[in-house]
Amino acid sequence: MKIGELAKETGVSTHTLRYYEKIGLIDTATKDASGHRNYGAFELDLINWVVCLKKSGMPLEKIKTYVAAFKTGDANNMREMLEAHLVKLHKQQADIEHYLDVTERKLASLKKSTTH
């Protein structure tokens, strides 16, 4: 798949995909006779996983460390990183649930005060 197709499939701009190549997050794509980048299913899956990690708050430097561990088959490091990230996500989830509860109670009290 060409870089534009990969961008469309992942929601990541072509500029960002080139940057990810430059910093070694993804391997340099093979190029066809015209010099256009070609990506496969592996890159598609990897970029989708990177997007997930990024959107869930993992910094790019940690993502690079995770991907490097993946490429070398360092399952222990990958597991440790994901376990730590999961703890962080659960904390964020608990915080958000608290904020939702407080906001809902505040809204309910405002509705009661305006109906009297």
Side-chain angles (χ1 to χ4, degrees):
M1 114 182 19
K2 303 289 184 222
I3 194 168
E5 295 170 290
L6 184 63
K8 184 177 177 181
E9 288 288 321
T10 60
V12 175
S13 71
T14 56
H15 174 76
T16 299
L17 291 171
R18 288 185 196 101
Y19 175 70
Y20 286 172
E21 276 189 19
K22 180 180 176 183
I23 64 171
L25 191 59
I26 59 175
D27 292 335
T28 303
T30 59
K31 294 187 179 181
D32 64 17
S34 303
H36 296 111
R37 290 172 167 84
N38 285 313
Y39 298 92
F42 175 81
E43 289 82 14
L44 176 63
D45 288 344
L46 179 59
I47 294 300
N48 281 328
W49 179 232
V50 166
V51 168
C52 178
L53 291 172
K54 224 173 160 281
K55 285 186 175 184
S56 66
M58 185 179 279
L60 192 55
E61 283 304 313
K62 283 194 177 189
I63 295 171
K64 284 174 56 178
T65 302
Y66 177 87
V67 169
F70 173 77
K71 288 178 180 178
T72 62
D74 185 353
N76 288 332
N77 193 16
M78 291 166 43
R79 185 177 52 257
E80 288 174 8
M81 290 183 71
L82 290 181
E83 286 172 348
H85 188 60
L86 189 59
V87 167
K88 180 182 155 208
L89 290 175
H90 281 298
K91 169 75 170 93
Q92 288 176 335
Q93 181 180 26
D95 290 346
I96 289 171
E97 287 172 3
H98 170 73
Y99 303 144
L100 286 169
D101 182 54
V102 170
T103 304
E104 288 169 349
R105 283 188 279 132
K106 183 64 173 176
L107 185 57
S109 72
L110 289 171
K111 286 180 180 179
K112 286 180 186 176
S113 69
T114 59
T115 59
H116 287 74

